[in-house]
Amino acid sequence: MQLDHIELSQINFHALNVQKVVRKHFGDQDHSRWVFSTSNGSEGGSDRLFYKIWNRSHIRCDNILAALDIGFYDEVTTPALRALIFSGGICRGYAMETCQKPEIRDDAFFRTVAERTVATQHFAVQFGRAHTMEFRAKNTMIDLEGVYHIHDLALVRAHHSAFACAEYAALVAALYRRTFREDNAVASELPLENHNSWRRQPVRKALQTASKYHGKLISKAFPGIARIES
């Protein structure tokens, strides 16, 4: 997959719009990340770009590189991916073109990702309907940094993460059991994201929604807070 390489120092953050700010640590694990976007019609008239960026110390800073090298991510699974962002030889994020929410679930795309998971022995912990978008009439995965080799399945829990899709988690668990028959404990009861609904859990859903926009609102009120750490 041919991707542009962008140096972090060359990005003019003052010209970008802040979309999301998450400053989060679990002990010594850095999970902070930022999402910025260009304005419509910028970047030489091309489509709007979204930059997802993290710190040097991010817990999954280089995971995406292995997934690209092995072919888990490519033109079929991530057609919206346009560039990787580096600083001092360390991957600091990536850029994707504008996507839209798909109107219906594409079961064929789920099967494609499932087959790619088995073939490459890599999995994306956040893969699921909420993290699948549409790009130029094609489905594309997003939130790409949370990808692991199957032998690192235990890191999902250790990294305070969770699978976005129970069906996909079951597939990954089955793959792990087939690969490591002598150790099935890791694949038991994999952590799953809590999908709260406005109808059944209105308070939890409200808090969850507010947390998504809290960093964005604060960064707009106090622009210095959105500055990327070196």
Side-chain angles (χ1 to χ4, degrees):
M1 185 176 189
Q2 296 296 320
L3 297 173
D4 294 332
H5 284 193
I6 301 173
E7 280 295 322
L8 184 67
S9 61
Q10 300 302 311
I11 299 176
N12 181 9
F13 288 102
H14 296 291
L16 300 179
N17 300 312
V18 179
Q19 296 296 330
K20 186 175 182 180
V21 177
V22 178
R23 299 183 66 90
K24 184 181 295 185
H25 288 76
F26 294 100
D28 61 353
Q29 293 182 13
D30 185 356
H31 292 257
S32 301
R33 64 256 187 208
W34 294 258
V35 178
F36 299 87
S37 70
T38 60
S39 300
N40 290 327
S42 62
E43 296 290 320
S46 64
D47 291 336
R48 190 181 186 192
L49 287 179
F50 286 80
Y51 298 88
K52 189 168 191 178
I53 299 170
W54 47 76
N55 292 330
R56 290 176 175 270
S57 56
H58 192 274
I59 194 68
R60 295 184 286 260
C61 65
D62 288 331
N63 291 26
I64 188 175
L65 302 182
L68 284 164
D69 287 342
I70 199 66
F72 181 76
Y73 292 146
D74 63 5
E75 295 87 349
V76 175
T77 56
T78 55
L81 182 61
R82 177 166 168 180
L84 295 173
I85 300 168
F86 290 91
S87 177
I90 298 174
C91 184
R92 297 292 300 277
Y94 55 88
M96 300 189 77
E97 294 195 52
T98 302
C99 304
Q100 296 79 36
K101 291 184 178 180
E103 295 183 0
I104 59 175
R105 170 174 170 166
D106 186 346
D107 290 331
F109 186 70
F110 182 93
R111 290 193 295 271
T112 296
V113 175
E115 292 169 359
R116 194 65 59 85
T117 298
V118 174
T120 65
Q121 296 215 321
H122 278 69
F123 65 92
V125 69
Q126 289 185 286
F127 173 63
R129 185 173 184 179
H131 300 271
T132 298
M133 302 292 280
E134 187 174 294
F135 172 71
R136 297 178 183 174
K138 299 179 181 179
N139 279 152
T140 183
M141 301 172 72
I142 61 171
D143 295 319
L144 307 180
E145 67 274 18
V147 59
Y148 299 87
H149 190 280
I150 190 64
H151 66 58
D152 290 327
L153 181 59
L155 291 181
V156 173
R157 192 181 299 276
H159 287 173
H160 304 274
S161 190
F163 281 87
C165 173
E167 184 180 358
Y168 184 66
L171 180 146
V172 173
L175 175 61
Y176 185 91
R177 293 189 183 100
R178 290 198 302 270
T179 306
F180 306 101
R181 296 180 182 276
E182 73 283 357
D183 183 11
N184 292 338
V186 173
S188 300
E189 298 183 5
L190 293 177
L192 298 174
E193 288 183 359
N194 293 321
H195 296 287
N196 300 314
S197 68
W198 287 109
R199 182 178 180 181
R200 296 181 178 179
Q201 301 96 2
V203 175
R204 290 183 180 179
K205 183 64 175 180
L207 292 173
Q208 183 183 49
T209 302
S211 67
K212 290 182 178 180
Y213 295 99
H214 177 263
K216 179 179 178 180
L217 293 174
I218 292 296
S219 66
K220 285 189 173 182
F222 305 97
I225 295 179
R227 186 174 58 188
I228 302 297
E229 296 177 2
S230 60

